[in-house]
Amino acid sequence: MAIVTPNLKPEPDSRLWTAALMDAWMTGETIACRFPQPGFKVGAPGAGVVDGAGQSGMTLNLRGLTPGYAFRRRQFFSVVHAGRRYLQYVRAQIVVGADGRAALPIGPMLRIAPADGDVCEFIPMIEGKLSGDAAGWTMIPARVQGLSFTISEIA
């Protein structure tokens, strides 16, 4: 995901952003950022977790959801596995059953085998390696021009 921040105030915004980006750039650590869904209201999907180990492919079974909640086509969410987030989206609308379970048709295909009970975040985050011009920025009087960088997921 390519990200461009708005113009930042020199203090504290640009100081904090540039330091965080430079740290991630120099150390090669992963960074996480909220994945925007402009205009979309998530509602109350519940506290969904992966329902059963050994899942693969393009369907993900979840439990702990709000009965009757309607997942919408192209609604994004994150699966947290082994401390790392993986961004997914729902391929078709589906309504959660009365038991709080759902078999979500997802994309892209699962890149990991989630464990039973892995948490799902419905305010999605993308996590990965940083690339782009993270170590450079332009000072403009009274502000710092928006920063641009890319986050790429890794398996």
Side-chain angles (χ1 to χ4, degrees):
M1 180 172 84
I3 298 170
V4 177
T5 71
N7 289 347
L8 303 170
K9 295 178 186 174
E11 185 58 37
D13 299 338
S14 68
R15 175 178 52 84
L16 296 174
W17 268 94
T18 55
L21 292 172
M22 288 177 64
D23 285 348
W25 185 265
M26 290 184 302
T27 63
E29 293 178 3
T30 63
I31 63 168
C33 183
R34 245 179 109 173
F35 187 85
Q37 299 182 92
F40 176 71
K41 302 224 184 292
V42 174
V49 298
V50 172
D51 188 17
Q55 297 186 55
S56 62
M58 296 183 76
T59 300
L60 184 62
N61 295 309
L62 301 180
R63 67 177 185 269
L65 301 165
T66 301
Y69 179 82
F71 283 97
R72 266 92 69 206
R73 185 173 188 265
R74 300 288 191 246
Q75 178 177 344
F76 284 84
F77 67 100
S78 305
V79 176
V80 182
H81 174 71
R84 182 168 288 159
R85 291 173 177 88
Y86 296 88
L87 189 65
Q88 304 288 155
Y89 66 88
V90 180
R91 290 187 299 112
Q93 181 166 318
I94 190 159
V95 177
V96 175
D99 60 359
R101 288 182 152 80
L104 294 182
I106 61 165
M109 184 178 295
L110 285 168
R111 297 168 305 286
I112 44 91
D116 183 51
D118 277 354
V119 172
C120 293
E121 298 173 329
F122 300 107
I123 304 295
M125 303 278 285
I126 184 169
E127 183 173 351
K129 295 288 185 176
L130 187 63
S131 62
D133 190 20
W137 60 90
T138 303
M139 291 295 291
I140 300 171
R143 66 185 193 280
V144 174
Q145 184 174 346
L147 305 170
S148 62
F149 55 94
T150 301
I151 299 175
S152 301
E153 277 192 342
I154 54 175

